Amino acid sequence: MTIVTGVTCPVCGTFCDDIELVVENNVIVDVKNACAMGAAKFLNYATHRNLKPLIRKNGELIETSLNEAVGKAAKILADANYPILYGWSCTSCEAIRVGLELAEEVGGVIDNTSTVCHGPSILSVQDVGIVSCTLGQIRHRADLIFYWASNPWSAHPRHIERYTMFTEGRFQKSTWKGYISRLGGVLSRKRLRRAANLVLRRDIPATPKIERHLPYTMFQKKRKMVVVDTRKTRTAEAADYFLQIEPNKDYELLQVFRMLIQNEELNVDKVAGVPIELLEEVADVMLDCKLGVFFFGLGLTMSEGKHRNIDTAISLTRDLNQRTKFLIMPMRGHYNVTGVNVVFTWQTGYPYAVDFSRGYPRYNPGETSVIDILSRGESDAGLSIASDPVAHFPREAVQNLVKNPLIAIDPEVTPTTLMADVVIPSSFMGIETEGTAYRMDHVPLPLKKVVEPPKTCLSDVEILQRILSQVRKLRRTSN
Amino acid sequence: MPKLKVILLTGRTIDQGKGKEYGKLSREYWESVTICFLDPKDLKVLEVKEDENIKVTTKSGSVVMKAVKSARSPHPKIAFIPYGPWASIIMNQKTHGTGMPSLKGISAEIEPAPKGKVLSLSELLNKHYKVKKS
Amino acid sequence: MDLAINNGKIVEKINENKAKVIDASGMIVMPGGVDIHCHIAGTDVNTGRLLRPEDHFRDVEAKTAVTRSGVGYSIPSTFTTGYRYSRMGYTTLMNPSMPPLEARHTHEELEDTPMVDKATYPLLGDWWFVLEHLRDGLIEECAAHVAWIMAATRGYAIKIVNPGGLEAWGFGSNVKSLDDTVPHFNITPREIIRGLCKVNKLLNLPHTIHVHTNNLGKPGNYVTAIETMKCVEDLAEENRPNIHITHCQFSAFKGSDWQTMSSGAEEIAKYVNHHNHVTLDMGQVIFTNTTTMTADGPFQYGLYQLSGNKWVNHDVETETSGGIVPFTYRRKSAVNATQWSIGLELALLIKNPWKIYLTTDHPNGGPFTSYPTIITWLMSQAARKKTINKIHKRARRNSLLTSIEREFSFYEIAIVTRAGQAKTLGLTQKGQLGVGADADVAIYNVNHKLVDPSKKYKKVRRAFKKAAYTIKGGEVVVKDGEIVKTVSGKTFWVDVKTSLPLEVNDDLKRKFREYWTVEYENYPLRKGFLHNPAPISIKAEV
């Protein structure tokens, strides 16, 4: 039995690197420090895995040899006019580098999950820049934390305890105790209300939206958290201020904040469903802080306005820097989606949606991005790696993806592997293979190898290298 | 039958996050992504109780899901569906030139579906994506 | 005279019948170029690439049988960077700014930069351990920690940027002089520079401390530059350099505001001419659209406020900061034109070419592909005149260039573009073609006996733009300005052996969790991370 410490968790962008695993007979039997998702991954990853390469013959997926699967995959890519190579966010930087070489060799389009996630954030950065930092700066210095259109409780469970409210920094203390006592108050109020409803057989309204437990001045020295969301999520329950915003109205609210911090007066009662007095109070809090940060999520990238929402959020951050220190950071979803953008950029100059069909990298989201290519039915083959487009792309895009030859490289059985024509099983990155990945704040950390993979499951790097050399062979013989 | 116009949000939940690590074929995953969270008041308007089936329709398509009472209320006329193959059926693929499809803030209509069945993963893939290939 | 190469090294002689012969008669043979300060890898560089797709659209390189595709212009992608430097005959590059926490990133990018040997300098001037140890006067403990971080991040030299200012920028402020106190740390920039200078000496590092001064880019800052050089004067020994002021042009402004801004190059040159403990590099400005990127967060914020261009800021916990702002240097801007003049004045007024090197602080002053143009400005008064006649009137009136007649010889160019840089870096096997040196050779198609560089500067520029041959490690990699073979270079780093064991004790391990958000065991690069490491073993005095 061995205990492995300092394991990095290959799930979400929080990329915790303090996981401890207990390994016995090549099986992970216990996990410490991980959140529910991390624990689920480390203890259950092998439950639904692909162990053998598969090829579709007569409509059915049948087992085959690795050589045949690699050969078929290479032929599909080499023969295609405009193949798309998609995914990449759940594998290592080393694998991504080989993937870019492969995409360049076949003259295809290589795209990653940013295209349906924080792509708009990247577009905004390209327009206005971004004022950011590594997460330690927040932990040490931030006394005002915004979660805008982001719900770390569900998507980045340890974010708050590792980097923001519930952690100790050099210049700031944790607010854990304050939260516990407040939570106690909230829970007992809820219990009382439920009891009252049962007794009186009618609804007693919940506490009003504007919650103020103690006068603002009492929190002067402590960290404060503000949540802006369309629903009162669990994260919002822990917040000092919760602004319940109407859907698709983030742009207006952000612009209003930009006006309020410049001391402009507004002649309205509400903006986006939030009373103006509350907004004025929050604007004052923003100006009075020592260091504030906006963490924003997909609520900004996916709703109306898309990259213009983030453009405004970054501009608000920039404006605030005239008066105090303010930073902004997107909450990246997958553990290496930042790494994917980083590697793409250093090799091609562009972070996603890179088109190699003319022999050099071209970039034009809306034209060279995968959803658009699929919507227009322009691609004639596809490779999916470390991702599940069949589960997560809109239906029409998926229909155009599966009607052409599709290769899937994945350790697990997923809707994509079920619909693919060639399935090549790979080893689990960060558990069975080592590599490098980048946290949401651009800090690169090592992925560890903790157990041995099955012999039939090679690493993504090896599989891609084999396909690449086979493609080159095919090209040489055809020339 | 009563119908309700809502704004649809898709997103992550901790159960969906755990479920996908158990595996996309697992029961836990299926249970975490075939549900639609509604404000209790909206459930009353639809005359639907928790755990009964509803049909969610958008411009892009429709899908039958299980209704769940939201613990995050009040959020009237806002429905929340976790990411997954079921949500993908009704998402809007138009990117408006940005590359990003609209996955939040979509207009949708909800109605009770007492006779409807929530499909299994393979039934869903068969219905929407089955392609005859050699 | 003939040059013999075998197994990647210059040798005494070889069997000519079995050798490949290159006839370089009528051409100039120099050691491969060495660039002491070019931002080519790491977080700031890469975010700059991401920030500027418009910079890439206009400058693309298609894939060939030998080369990978890529894009330019001011921040080329990694493959393109390596190829373009190699086409100009450069073979060794130094990436000057590496946030230690993000060392993996810098090294991954360097490994994807082909054709050249490389190294990188970790940013240590605002590292909390440095600030605390120097504040408490613990020079030897500081040295032991610096040795540890050099090894952990595979660094080559101590880089200091706006010492104290980056820590102040953590809360949005800055330091204004060498004797300002850094908030929360009770130490001054002067103490940081002096302390690290002593540490550098104790560790016997091959290069000196590499300093980007406080008050960079502010009118009147030439005073800070001279004070910075003065503050370690007494620590120098045997007339050997103990400080390198980088991109000195940006620190050589006279005047009290932008209206009165003028050149302080003369004063700085005077100081450097009389002192032997300093080396500088130019940081020459080119009139073009480029991208500024430095670890000097507050300076970059100031540049954003001046220009209104898009702005990236990236603070790194416990260590440093950074910023990126696209910028255009215009002939008709009095300030930019004065900056252009300052860089050249520094090079021409400093008498000893071993003390000042040709750089643009790529890409801050301009892309490295403009080096051949700068060479012509150094070699030809006529070339300088042509440009001076197009710049802003006030800058032209005040520029000393109109009265400077000095013109560099090819020999002096060789010093400022390779030999001097290698010497100050302590890379003894680079920058020279003696027996035992690395076989990195650049052959330029210009005959110094027939061509007068003062008059025929266009020919000179063309020759330096496309090397007739570039030889890397004994292999011909470039012929007539085209890549004929790709090679990967080595990554140099200093493996310092202290007499105290390098294992950091439990105290540091415990402090790790307090100071950083990563685990102690995940911070250093693991063995085998670099594919082509070239550690330089050094024994320290501690």
Side-chain angles (χ1 to χ4, degrees):
Chain A
M1 186 180 89
T2 36
I3 299 184
V4 189
T5 57
V7 177
T8 42
C9 175
V11 180
C12 81
T14 313
F15 208 33
C16 306
D17 74 328
D18 61 346
I19 311 298
E20 271 184 37
L21 297 177
V22 180
V23 181
E24 212 171 287
N25 290 334
N26 208 43
V27 174
I28 300 174
V29 295
D30 198 13
V31 183
K32 289 207 181 75
N33 296 333
C35 71
M37 292 196 291
K41 174 137 199 178
F42 283 115
L43 296 172
N44 298 289
Y45 65 91
T47 320
H48 293 277
R49 79 181 300 171
N50 279 319
L51 278 171
K52 293 270 166 65
L54 304 166
I55 279 191
R56 194 174 290 275
K57 287 197 171 133
N58 295 324
E60 293 299 318
L61 281 173
I62 56 168
E63 286 183 6
T64 182
S65 70
L66 183 61
N67 279 342
E68 203 189 329
V70 165
K72 178 101 202 257
K75 186 146 182 15
I76 290 174
L77 290 173
D79 286 349
N81 276 324
Y82 200 50
I84 49 179
L85 291 82
Y86 174 78
W88 310 103
S89 304
C90 291
T91 185
S92 66
C93 294
E94 290 80 358
I96 297 165
R97 281 152 91 175
V98 183
L100 283 159
E101 208 177 338
L102 177 60
E104 190 190 55
E105 182 70 44
V106 302
V109 172
I110 184 165
D111 200 354
N112 57 67
T113 64
S114 322
T115 204
V116 291
C117 187
H118 270 284
S121 307
I122 297 176
L123 292 176
S124 317
V125 170
Q126 291 174 330
D127 268 340
V128 298
I130 185 167
V131 188
S132 198
C133 60
T134 64
L135 286 163
Q137 286 287 69
I138 308 303
R139 192 185 115 195
H140 286 304
R141 304 180 197 253
D143 60 341
L144 178 63
I145 293 153
F146 271 77
Y147 284 107
W148 194 301
S150 161
N151 184 12
W153 219 279
S154 293
H156 299 87
R158 291 184 74 209
H159 196 266
I160 297 179
E161 91 183 47
R162 273 175 69 79
Y163 309 123
T164 61
M165 299 299 290
F166 299 156
T167 178
E168 298 279 312
R170 191 183 185 113
F171 306 104
Q172 288 292 339
K173 292 224 176 314
S174 162
T175 58
W176 178 240
K177 290 200 190 111
Y179 168 68
I180 292 290
S181 52
R182 204 155 14 120
L183 187 63
V186 166
L187 285 176
S188 48
R189 262 199 303 279
K190 271 189 176 164
R191 253 177 259 132
L192 282 172
R193 209 174 73 238
R194 256 201 306 269
N197 284 345
L198 283 170
V199 165
L200 301 170
R201 289 173 210 262
R202 63 177 166 85
D203 259 336
I204 296 203
T207 40
K209 272 183 248 173
I210 304 170
E211 290 192 345
R212 262 172 276 225
H213 308 280
L214 291 165
Y216 152 61
T217 47
M218 298 234 358
F219 286 97
Q220 196 90 53
K221 299 219 167 34
K222 293 201 191 127
R223 296 195 212 251
K224 276 195 270 301
M225 179 158 78
V226 181
V227 170
V228 181
D229 208 324
T230 49
R231 308 167 296 145
K232 190 169 189 186
T233 56
R234 281 236 158 75
T235 314
E237 280 179 353
D240 295 90
Y241 291 93
F242 168 54
L243 307 179
Q244 184 155 11
I245 186 178
E246 288 162 6
N248 291 326
K249 291 277 162 73
D250 300 89
Y251 185 81
E252 282 92 328
L253 197 57
L254 286 161
Q255 293 287 37
V256 161
F257 273 124
R258 287 183 79 188
M259 294 168 74
L260 289 174
I261 61 167
Q262 309 281 11
N263 279 324
E264 301 230 10
E265 294 247 346
L266 284 149
N267 286 330
V268 291
D269 293 327
K270 280 186 175 199
V271 178
V274 186
I276 194 76
E277 298 82 21
L278 181 56
L279 295 177
E280 284 167 351
E281 190 174 334
V282 172
D284 282 336
V285 170
M286 278 194 224
L287 291 169
D288 280 338
C289 74
K290 257 183 114 178
L291 187 147
V293 60
F294 287 115
F295 286 107
F296 66 94
L298 300 181
L300 286 187
T301 64
M302 290 181 173
S303 51
E304 200 174 302
K306 296 191 182 149
H307 56 295
R308 293 294 164 223
N309 295 333
I310 298 136
D311 187 325
T312 317
I314 297 175
S315 302
L316 170 60
T317 314
R318 251 182 10 185
D319 295 345
L320 282 163
N321 273 286
Q322 285 171 351
R323 307 277 293 271
T324 178
K325 177 94 181 178
F326 232 92
L327 303 154
I328 184 168
M329 192 184 307
M331 299 282 275
R332 306 308 298 270
H334 294 292
Y335 69 95
N336 199 22
V337 65
T338 308
V340 150
N341 294 139
V342 166
V343 180
F344 271 44
T345 306
W346 89 54
Q347 284 206 356
T348 70
Y350 307 115
Y352 68 107
V354 180
D355 180 330
F356 280 112
S357 58
R358 291 197 197 159
Y360 57 87
R362 290 193 314 130
Y363 166 77
N364 194 10
E367 182 199 335
T368 58
S369 42
V370 139
I371 299 286
D372 295 281
I373 292 175
L374 287 171
S375 303
R376 295 190 301 258
E378 285 177 356
S379 62
D380 58 351
L383 170 95
S384 160
I385 175 169
S387 176
D388 193 359
V390 169
H392 295 129
F393 278 5
R395 184 172 51 116
E396 291 136 329
V398 176
Q399 281 166 343
N400 281 339
L401 177 68
V402 298
K403 75 172 193 233
N404 290 315
L406 176 62
I407 306 155
I409 302 176
D410 208 303
E412 281 185 303
V413 180
T414 63
T416 305
T417 62
L418 290 174
M419 301 299 300
D421 298 288
V422 179
V423 178
I424 305 180
S426 55
S427 55
F428 276 93
M429 184 57 64
I431 302 177
E432 299 170 336
T433 320
E434 55 182 22
T436 310
Y438 286 65
R439 202 167 67 182
M440 62 163 72
D441 59 346
H442 285 90
V443 173
L445 290 168
L447 291 158
K448 286 205 164 128
K449 175 175 173 170
V450 181
V451 294
E452 289 292 330
K455 293 234 168 16
T456 51
C457 301
L458 298 181
S459 68
D460 290 324
V461 171
E462 286 179 81
I463 296 171
L464 290 165
Q465 274 168 346
R466 286 190 188 202
I467 298 179
L468 177 60
S469 78
Q470 187 64 20
V471 165
R472 287 194 167 131
K473 262 195 214 133
L474 288 170
R475 292 233 145 144
R476 272 200 296 272
T477 48
S478 75
N479 281 342
Chain B
M1 265 202 294
K3 284 189 182 180
L4 186 66
K5 278 201 169 27
V6 297
I7 303 258
L8 187 62
L9 304 174
T10 57
R12 292 190 167 92
T13 64
I14 193 74
D15 288 324
Q16 170 252 341
K18 269 166 49 186
K20 69 172 162 57
E21 302 304 337
Y22 285 125
K24 299 258 170 77
L25 266 53
S26 66
R27 177 142 197 98
E28 288 88 348
Y29 181 67
W30 184 85
E31 281 175 354
S32 68
V33 297
T34 49
I35 51 182
C36 175
F37 292 91
L38 288 166
D39 188 302
K41 291 216 171 83
D42 291 335
L43 281 173
K44 277 216 178 79
V45 165
L46 281 168
E47 295 167 12
V48 165
K49 289 209 189 64
E50 191 169 40
D51 283 351
E52 287 180 2
N53 288 349
I54 48 169
K55 185 160 104 160
V56 184
T57 310
T58 65
K59 261 193 251 177
S60 315
S62 72
V63 73
V64 173
M65 310 193 96
K66 195 167 74 167
V68 171
K69 204 191 297 189
S70 163
R72 307 284 118 229
S73 55
H75 51 83
K77 302 233 181 81
I78 294 178
F80 180 85
I81 296 181
Y83 288 144
W86 285 261
S88 303
I89 304 294
I90 48 179
M91 282 184 212
N92 184 359
Q93 72 165 0
K94 283 209 162 32
T95 77
H96 304 110
T98 64
M100 174 67 160
S102 298
L103 306 178
K104 283 191 206 274
I106 321 161
S107 308
E109 199 172 68
I110 302 192
E111 54 189 316
K115 299 213 180 80
K117 175 176 171 266
V118 181
L119 300 174
S120 69
L121 182 62
S122 46
E123 284 167 343
L124 181 115
L125 293 176
N126 250 327
K127 177 174 177 193
H128 292 282
Y129 304 134
K130 193 63 182 173
V131 158
K132 285 269 180 287
K133 289 190 191 179
S134 59
Chain C
M1 82 166 255
D2 291 343
L3 214 56
I5 292 175
N6 196 14
N7 278 337
K9 297 275 189 193
I10 310 278
V11 295
E12 195 78 59
K13 58 177 183 223
I14 46 168
N15 184 344
E16 287 188 38
N17 295 328
K18 289 197 178 148
K20 179 184 164 96
V21 178
I22 296 179
D23 183 2
S25 45
M27 302 202 237
I28 294 184
V29 177
M30 290 192 186
V34 176
D35 197 339
I36 196 173
H37 190 109
C38 49
H39 295 270
I40 54 171
T43 324
D44 281 346
V45 177
N46 208 38
T47 310
R49 284 187 189 110
L50 184 141
L51 183 71
R52 306 207 66 200
E54 72 275 11
D55 180 77
H56 308 320
F57 292 152
R58 51 178 165 152
D59 191 357
V60 299
E61 288 204 6
K63 172 175 156 48
T64 68
V66 196
T67 58
R68 300 281 301 270
S69 63
V71 296
Y73 152 81
S74 67
I75 329 168
S77 52
T78 49
F79 303 123
T80 309
T81 305
Y83 301 146
R84 287 186 179 176
Y85 260 110
S86 193
R87 288 187 197 120
M88 294 195 313
Y90 271 74
T91 52
T92 306
L93 304 179
M94 300 278 135
N95 183 60
S97 273
M98 172 173 73
L101 179 62
E102 297 172 336
R104 267 179 199 89
H105 184 169
T106 305
H107 285 290
E108 281 198 297
E109 278 194 45
L110 285 177
E111 296 223 309
D112 265 355
T113 308
M115 320 299 291
V116 292
D117 289 338
K118 43 242 162 181
T120 179
Y121 317 148
L123 290 150
L124 297 177
D126 291 77
W127 187 30
W128 283 0
F129 285 101
V130 162
L131 299 180
E132 288 167 355
H133 284 129
L134 292 183
R135 171 198 65 200
D136 300 336
L138 304 167
I139 299 281
E140 292 187 357
E141 270 83 337
C142 186
H145 283 74
V146 170
W148 177 85
I149 205 170
M150 279 290 176
T153 60
R154 307 288 190 272
Y156 187 82
I158 296 176
K159 177 74 189 290
I160 303 172
V161 171
N162 187 6
L166 310 189
E167 167 50 42
W169 183 241
F171 278 117
S173 64
N174 197 359
V175 291
K176 296 205 181 67
S177 77
L178 281 176
D179 298 300
D180 234 355
T181 312
V182 179
H184 304 291
F185 281 90
N186 207 17
I187 189 172
T188 64
R190 187 185 295 274
E191 287 163 344
I192 299 172
I193 300 171
R194 283 180 64 82
L196 284 173
C197 188
K198 292 182 191 160
V199 162
N200 203 64
K201 183 144 160 291
L202 284 175
L203 294 179
N204 283 328
L205 296 181
H207 183 35
T208 62
I209 48 171
H210 196 104
V211 181
H212 156 140
T213 61
N214 302 104
N215 288 329
L216 190 108
K218 287 208 180 73
N221 64 5
Y222 82 97
V223 172
T224 313
I226 295 182
E227 282 216 18
T228 305
M229 295 190 269
K230 267 196 182 139
C231 87
V232 291
E233 207 181 304
D234 62 310
L235 298 173
E237 358 179 279
E238 299 164 12
N239 270 338
R240 274 191 310 166
N242 69 352
I243 188 169
H244 179 89
I245 304 288
T246 187
H247 43 68
C248 195
Q249 173 271 126
F250 291 103
S251 304
F253 298 174
K254 225 191 217 174
S256 49
D257 55 39
W258 294 116
Q259 302 313 102
T260 57
M261 179 258 191
S262 61
S263 164
E266 204 175 2
E267 282 77 359
I268 292 185
K270 207 193 292 184
Y271 182 89
V272 175
N273 282 335
H274 288 105
H275 294 88
N276 292 327
H277 70 284
V278 186
T279 52
L280 318 174
D281 64 85
M282 286 160 78
Q284 179 63 28
V285 144
I286 313 291
F287 296 114
T288 184
N289 171 275
T290 185
T291 313
T292 64
M293 53 178 67
T294 65
D296 197 341
F299 162 70
Q300 297 290 154
Y301 177 58
L303 198 57
Y304 148 68
Q305 288 180 306
L306 263 178
S307 64
N309 294 337
K310 42 192 177 179
W311 167 50
V312 170
N313 183 76
H314 184 70
D315 296 335
V316 179
E317 67 211 53
T318 315
E319 293 169 1
T320 181
S321 74
I324 307 167
V325 176
F327 197 77
T328 307
Y329 294 104
R330 282 190 287 271
R331 289 183 179 77
K332 294 301 179 192
S333 152
V335 170
N336 296 160
T338 308
Q339 286 182 276
W340 171 82
S341 181
I342 291 175
L344 292 170
E345 286 170 22
L346 280 171
L348 294 164
L349 292 175
I350 293 175
K351 300 195 183 116
N352 185 350
W354 290 95
K355 287 183 181 175
I356 175 139
Y357 315 128
L358 193 163
T359 64
T360 57
D361 185 19
H362 164 80
N364 287 284
F368 61 84
T369 40
S370 56
Y371 290 175
T373 308
I374 305 174
I375 288 175
T376 60
W377 284 330
L378 291 172
M379 297 187 87
S380 160
Q381 203 186 9
R384 295 195 287 266
K385 214 178 209 162
K386 191 151 177 253
T387 310
I388 292 180
N389 288 339
K390 296 191 194 143
I391 64 176
H392 189 280
K393 276 202 305 266
R394 171 156 69 88
R396 184 165 61 237
R397 228 182 11 246
N398 294 337
S399 169
L400 295 172
L401 293 179
T402 41
S403 57
I404 296 178
E405 290 178 350
R406 177 179 176 198
E407 290 174 334
F408 272 48
S409 64
F410 282 111
Y411 190 74
E412 288 172 314
I413 292 293
I415 296 171
V416 300
T417 57
R418 40 214 88 206
Q421 313 216 14
K423 179 155 184 245
T424 224
L425 284 167
L427 286 169
T428 48
Q429 73 280 44
K430 302 281 184 202
Q432 49 111 344
L433 293 173
V435 169
D438 284 350
D440 293 345
V441 186
I443 305 178
Y444 299 108
N445 191 1
V446 60
N447 192 334
H448 70 282
K449 292 199 180 112
L450 299 176
V451 173
D452 177 3
S454 173
K455 297 200 182 69
K456 300 273 187 227
Y457 54 86
K458 285 194 184 146
K459 199 166 179 0
V460 171
R461 187 181 69 224
R462 277 196 294 268
F464 278 96
K465 213 170 160 72
K466 287 187 163 180
Y469 289 91
T470 307
I471 298 170
K472 178 81 192 67
E475 302 185 75
V476 175
V477 293
V478 168
K479 192 165 181 317
D480 293 326
E482 293 307 323
I483 307 279
V484 294
K485 182 177 184 178
T486 50
V487 291
S488 329
K490 313 187 274 282
T491 305
F492 294 111
W493 60 281
V494 289
D495 186 10
V496 186
K497 305 261 186 285
T498 54
S499 61
L500 318 160
L502 267 187
E503 278 103 62
V504 186
N505 54 30
D506 279 324
D507 182 61
L508 183 57
K509 281 185 191 170
R510 179 176 55 80
K511 275 186 177 158
F512 228 87
R513 280 217 182 125
E514 284 171 31
Y515 281 42
W516 280 280
T517 51
V518 302
E519 295 291 290
Y520 167 79
E521 61 184 282
N522 288 329
Y523 189 95
L525 268 55
R526 66 164 199 278
K527 218 174 174 176
F529 186 82
L530 293 179
H531 292 118
N532 222 345
I536 299 176
S537 230
I538 297 180
K539 193 161 177 312
E541 304 291 333
V542 302

